[in-house]
Amino acid sequence: SFFSTDYVPIIPHIFMYWLGISCFEYLKLHSLELLETCPSGQLTFLGRHSLIIYLIHQPILLVLMERLRHSI
């Protein structure tokens, strides 16, 4: 028989997705002016450079975790 360790049941998790969609629709309708006036300089920088930030922080975390593993 088939056995998988990455099985995720749909019933408890589908509500999380529905909640996220509902929250997005609510914010899109009611809080558009809030999103437009939000100071977003840092968030804009992170969004525009997310790939390079991801590629840089991954090796750093791997080195830190390896050093932590050897120190224990």
Side-chain angles (χ1 to χ4, degrees), residues 19-30:
L19 179 65
I21 292 169
S22 300
C23 288
F24 172 75
E25 292 297 327
Y26 177 81
L27 289 174
K28 186 172 74 171
L29 293 175
H30 295 93

Side-chain angles (χ1 to χ4, degrees), residues 44-59:
T44 302
F45 175 81
L46 292 175
R48 288 186 180 162
H49 301 91
S50 61
L51 179 61
I52 192 70
I53 291 169
Y54 176 77
L55 292 175
I56 290 172
H57 96 277
Q58 285 295 316

Side-chain angles (χ1 to χ4, degrees), residues 1-71:
S1 75
F2 178 74
F3 178 75
S4 176
T5 59
D6 62 347
Y7 170 73
V8 178
I10 193 169
I11 294 299
H13 295 94
I14 193 74
F15 300 113
M16 177 179 59
Y17 294 112
W18 286 344
L19 179 65
I21 292 169
S22 300
C23 288
F24 172 75
E25 292 297 327
Y26 177 81
L27 289 174
K28 186 172 74 171
L29 293 175
H30 295 93
S31 300
L32 188 58
E33 63 275 355
L34 176 66
L35 294 174
E36 290 174 350
T37 60
C38 178
S40 61
Q42 295 85 4
L43 293 177
T44 302
F45 175 81
L46 292 175
R48 288 186 180 162
H49 301 91
S50 61
L51 179 61
I52 192 70
I53 291 169
Y54 176 77
L55 292 175
I56 290 172
H57 96 277
Q58 285 295 316
I60 292 171
L61 287 178
L62 288 173
V63 168
L64 289 175
M65 297 303 276
E66 187 67 22
R67 288 189 179 185
L68 180 64
R69 185 174 73 98
H70 286 291
S71 68

